[in-house]
Amino acid sequence: MRIDILTLFPEMFGGVLHTSMLGRAEAKGILEFHAHDIREYSANKHHNTDDYAFGGGAGMVMMAQPVFDCMEAVLNGGSARRILMTPRGRTLTPELARKLASEERLVILAGHYEGLDERINELIDDEISIGDYVLTGGELPAMVLIDCVSRFIPGVLGCSESAEDESFSNDGLLEYPQYTRPADFRGRLVPEVLLNGNHKEINKWRREQSLLKTLRNRPELLERAPLSKADTAFLHEHGWEKE
Ligand code: ADE
């Protein structure tokens, strides 16, 4: 997959896209990243990319011209799924990320300032938010989207890992706690059940820990999770008040 990012701060992307799993995927030729500086496309003498809002109001608005010219140059007559990162978008979910992972090419516009000239929306297929909070710009959200989508592209994760096999896909529950050596770290002991090799007991402990973590941090997920009678009884013992 090729991913182009349109931004006022292309230097923000280097560390994230060229390091660790994404860097490795790029070296393997599975992913290709290009960050483009919108400012270079400004036709304005001072290379401005923002201006005052018609009708007044606080804050500056990103101008249509540099974004249109940058998008046209990057697409160069080709096609791509074009995404705008904005808190006004639909919320990023694993389902949306999996769908985007099947595209051959994405172009991501990272907005800045108080907002974008509405005519820029003509260039956009999807408006995506990473959550109900507002950041200073779309760059970090673009990196979150890229990382999340990349995990669904075959070959990006190691063969022992899987994008499906984690919290939110773990039967609708949050992940259970994990431990590695040593068994005794400064007097903090790994739970005995994990050391005895009894897989039936280990699976029961992990299931219960997942239930507890979900009850504590995301109780609303329990409404949709497929729960056995034993799960429900365990949750009631630990203060769950539903059903
Ligand atoms: N830009 C600023 N905040 C954002 C958010 N929460 N999601 C996507 N883009 C943003």
Side-chain angles (χ1 to χ4, degrees):
M1 176 190 276
R2 173 177 170 140
I3 302 178
D4 292 89
I5 304 122
L6 278 47
T7 168
L8 291 170
F9 302 100
E11 66 279 8
M12 284 178 72
F13 289 85
V16 171
L17 301 184
H18 305 306
T19 321
S20 186
M21 307 292 279
L22 297 182
R24 229 175 300 153
E26 193 180 29
K28 284 198 262 177
I30 301 170
L31 290 171
E32 191 182 327
F33 302 113
H34 302 271
H36 307 270
D37 189 347
I38 296 170
R39 195 174 299 282
E40 286 179 10
Y41 294 85
S42 172
N44 179 294
K45 172 165 86 185
H46 303 290
H47 290 284
N48 287 348
T49 53
D50 63 329
D51 209 336
Y52 296 100
F54 277 123
M60 304 296 277
V61 176
M62 200 166 196
M63 294 157 61
Q65 178 274 318
V67 178
F68 268 73
D69 283 1
C70 184
M71 182 68 87
E72 282 158 11
V74 166
L75 288 176
N76 192 23
S79 68
R81 188 144 198 111
R82 300 157 305 169
I83 294 164
L84 170 65
M85 302 314 301
T86 166
R88 287 159 55 186
R90 65 176 158 142
T91 309
L92 178 60
T93 60
E95 292 73 33
L96 176 56
R98 190 185 291 111
K99 223 166 83 197
L100 292 174
S102 65
E103 297 283 341
E104 261 172 49
R105 186 170 178 196
L106 301 179
V107 176
I108 304 175
L109 172 57
H112 236 87
Y113 308 120
E114 282 306 301
L116 303 178
D117 188 303
E118 191 64 23
R119 291 165 289 192
I120 290 170
N121 267 31
E122 205 181 291
L123 301 173
I124 296 300
D125 299 304
D126 296 299
E127 296 174 275
I128 298 179
S129 164
I130 61 162
D132 287 340
Y133 40 82
V134 180
L135 303 177
T136 55
E139 284 75 18
L140 289 169
M143 291 183 225
V144 169
L145 176 69
I146 291 167
D147 191 284
C148 185
V149 168
S150 299
R151 298 178 72 256
F152 289 101
I153 297 174
V156 170
L157 295 182
C159 44
S160 63
E161 298 153 302
S162 147
E164 312 295 339
D165 182 25
E166 290 173 29
S167 295
F168 296 111
S169 316
N170 171 31
D171 219 4
L173 300 175
L174 302 181
E175 275 256 276
Y176 50 77
Q178 302 266 27
Y179 296 87
T180 186
R181 285 184 287 186
D184 178 347
F185 173 67
R186 299 184 184 172
R188 293 147 176 97
L189 303 182
V190 171
E192 184 64 34
V193 61
L194 298 178
L195 307 176
N196 68 16
N198 181 334
H199 286 281
K200 203 168 155 215
E201 275 185 38
I202 291 173
N203 288 340
K204 177 169 179 280
W205 180 85
R206 286 180 167 166
R207 179 77 185 175
E208 290 176 352
Q209 293 298 313
S210 277
L211 290 166
L212 279 181
K213 180 73 83 182
T214 310
L215 177 61
R216 211 166 291 141
N217 291 348
R218 299 287 308 276
E220 77 281 9
L221 295 179
L222 295 172
E223 312 288 333
R224 284 182 278 134
L227 299 176
S228 68
K229 275 206 174 117
D231 292 336
T232 310
F234 178 83
L235 285 165
H236 283 149
E237 274 169 39
H238 289 83
W240 193 43
E241 279 163 7
K242 292 281 161 61
E243 276 183 51

